[in-house]
Amino acid sequence: MLIRDPLYFHRTTLAETLLANFKSGIFHALTLFAPRRMGKTQFLLNDVAPLAEAQGFSVFYHSFMDSDNDFRASLQLFSENKNNKVKGWFSQIKGISIAGSGVELDKQTAAEPISQIIARLADEKKPTLLLLDEIQELARGVNNSNVVGSLRTGLDLYRDKIKVIFTGSSTNDLRVMFNNGKAPFFHFSHQIDFPPLGRDFSDFLADIYQQRTEVFIDKTALYQIFLRLNQTPMYLRQIIERMIINPALTLEQATEIQLTQSGTGADYHKVWQALTALDRQLLLAVAQGETALYSERNRHELASRLGVAEVKTSSIQGSVRKLENRELLTRDTKNKQSINESAFKTWILDQSVSQN
């Protein structure tokens, strides 16, 4: 049984919309994309899964960031455990790691093909919803081609009974999976950007804080801090948690603690120092909202900042490619560049302010 989280902000409307589109046949597979720590996993577990089960789906969750959990074996056991699916699978979630280098899944040469397991699931009366978290890790595993191909085959053959939500935080690897004409999942999934939370979320946390402590909190100030944290839900709720535990903390003090403990400081300074001057200026431009990196205007601005006569388009292309490969830069489904780590973006902007 899942314990209710009083600080969790439900996205029921979004979950209802996605499931309604599945049930109406508008799509059978979709990919939710957002940078790390934006709440994709919590949305799957706390909003989509319970609602889907209530609407008659059998629900299976798997995180490809968890290298200790074999996908094929987990799916096979799920297909054999029909009476306690959701409860059984939530109890086996061991935790989500924050970094991965590509899980290797093709370990059992005599294992039952994934397409066959999916066929067995499709024979059930209930439709099945697969929640496959951080799917780009599957693309990274060099020995996973058979797994990927078999998964695509099963999902293709039984799309009327088997629905799937993928999530991902690396556009490079997602493009390999879904936009490469030679890849098994080419154009298989409808891709959408996972919408960030807004002021309704920060107001919700402010109300919880005031209920628990009977102390007023400035909702406008809290929302501005949320924007400074790049609308990262985990960071804002950690601020509120600290203030509930220690009511003597002011909002400003709790925020400074959070900024210090969110991976800022020495780690980001080390990353920054390893970059070229052009790399840094491109990251700063993206962090400040620049969307036309290759425009003549931006190239003139970069040249001015770098103290050089000209910055060529080819130089920007090479730098962007390197930053994407290092997962410092990412892109949304509209091909817009963004910083892939929200705390790093905050650090970049703070450094820029302190140096001016």
Side-chain angles (χ1 to χ4, degrees):
M1 178 178 178
L2 292 177
I3 299 175
R4 182 179 177 275
D5 178 359
L7 292 181
Y8 181 73
F9 183 77
H10 288 279
R11 304 193 196 196
T12 305
T13 300
L14 178 59
E16 288 175 341
T17 299
L18 298 182
L19 290 173
N21 286 328
F22 280 136
K23 296 182 79 171
S24 66
I26 292 177
F27 50 68
H28 64 95
L30 66 89
T31 302
L32 293 175
F33 171 77
R36 303 183 190 112
R37 299 184 177 89
M38 296 306 288
K40 300 185 297 296
T41 297
Q42 289 73 23
F43 173 68
L44 293 183
L45 297 179
N46 294 323
D47 292 317
V48 174
L51 185 60
E53 185 191 22
Q55 293 185 5
F57 284 92
S58 296
V59 181
F60 170 81
Y61 171 87
H62 182 88
S63 171
F64 289 98
M65 294 294 277
D66 187 355
S67 60
D68 294 330
N69 196 345
D70 182 84
F71 171 59
R72 190 206 312 266
S74 298
L75 188 64
Q76 183 167 0
L77 185 58
F78 170 76
S79 72
E80 297 166 354
N81 183 21
K82 307 307 294 181
N83 296 323
N84 202 18
K85 291 187 176 89
V86 174
K87 180 179 177 181
W89 283 103
F90 283 178
S91 69
Q92 292 185 37
I93 296 171
K94 301 178 181 179
I96 311 302
S97 60
I98 62 172
S101 58
V103 291
E104 302 295 340
L105 303 177
D106 199 13
K107 297 176 181 178
Q108 304 178 38
T109 56
E112 180 182 18
I114 289 175
S115 59
Q116 188 172 320
I117 300 173
I118 292 175
R120 193 161 59 247
L121 290 172
D123 282 339
E124 296 293 318
K125 292 183 179 179
K126 286 185 175 183
T128 295
L129 177 62
L130 306 180
L131 305 176
L132 304 184
D133 208 1
E134 299 294 356
I135 191 65
Q136 76 275 343
E137 297 301 314
L138 185 60
R140 290 175 176 174
V142 296
N143 296 322
N144 291 342
S145 58
N146 290 339
V147 172
V148 173
S150 186
L151 177 61
R152 168 63 194 262
T153 298
L155 294 177
D156 237 349
L157 289 174
Y158 305 103
R159 59 177 61 193
D160 289 342
K161 291 292 295 291
I162 310 294
K163 312 299 180 181
V164 59
I165 298 178
F166 303 105
T167 75
S169 57
S170 169
T171 48
N172 284 337
D173 294 313
L174 290 178
R175 281 195 294 271
V176 170
M177 289 199 72
F178 297 107
N179 296 341
N180 184 335
K182 297 181 180 179
F185 275 99
F186 178 61
H187 284 182
F188 177 79
S189 173
H190 181 71
Q191 300 177 45
I192 63 174
D193 292 314
F194 186 56
L197 291 170
R199 177 151 182 173
D200 50 350
F201 171 67
S202 59
D203 284 354
F204 165 79
L205 290 181
D207 290 339
I208 296 294
Y209 172 78
Q210 290 173 191
Q211 291 168 11
R212 296 298 177 95
T213 65
E214 298 184 347
V215 176
F216 172 78
I217 189 170
D218 187 331
K219 290 185 175 181
T220 299
L222 186 64
Y223 177 60
Q224 291 303 315
I225 289 170
F226 187 40
L227 294 179
R228 184 184 177 191
L229 296 170
N230 305 300
Q231 296 169 272
T232 308
M234 182 179 72
Y235 296 151
L236 194 68
R237 66 167 286 159
Q238 287 176 343
I239 289 174
I240 295 299
E241 286 172 358
R242 288 191 181 91
M243 294 177 66
I244 291 175
I245 294 171
N246 182 6
L249 278 178
T250 67
L251 180 57
E252 293 74 17
Q253 290 170 334
T255 300
E256 288 307 311
I257 293 172
Q258 182 62 46
L259 290 172
T260 301
Q261 296 183 359
S262 295
T264 57
D267 291 340
Y268 289 149
H269 182 75
K270 188 181 300 183
V271 171
W272 194 252
Q273 291 301 311
L275 300 173
T276 67
L278 177 57
D279 294 339
R280 297 174 194 170
Q281 290 301 323
L282 285 171
L283 286 174
L284 176 59
V286 172
Q288 291 175 334
E290 178 61 64
T291 59
L293 293 181
Y294 302 101
S295 66
E296 183 177 1
R297 171 191 52 78
N298 187 56
R299 286 188 286 110
H300 282 315
E301 177 67 22
L302 289 172
S304 175
R305 291 184 180 185
L306 294 170
V308 298
E310 179 186 14
V311 174
K312 296 181 178 180
T313 299
S314 59
S315 298
I316 297 177
Q317 289 173 332
S319 182
V320 167
R321 190 179 306 113
K322 178 175 68 175
L323 293 171
E324 287 183 341
N325 288 337
R326 294 188 61 178
E327 294 197 13
L328 298 176
L329 274 184
T330 189
R331 305 185 197 190
D332 62 19
T333 59
K334 300 177 182 65
N335 215 34
K336 179 184 175 183
Q337 294 280 3
S338 63
I339 308 297
N340 198 32
E341 176 63 65
S342 61
F344 188 34
K345 178 181 177 181
T346 301
W347 183 88
I348 291 171
L349 293 173
D350 287 349
Q351 292 297 303
S352 174
V353 171
S354 66
Q355 291 173 9
N356 289 335

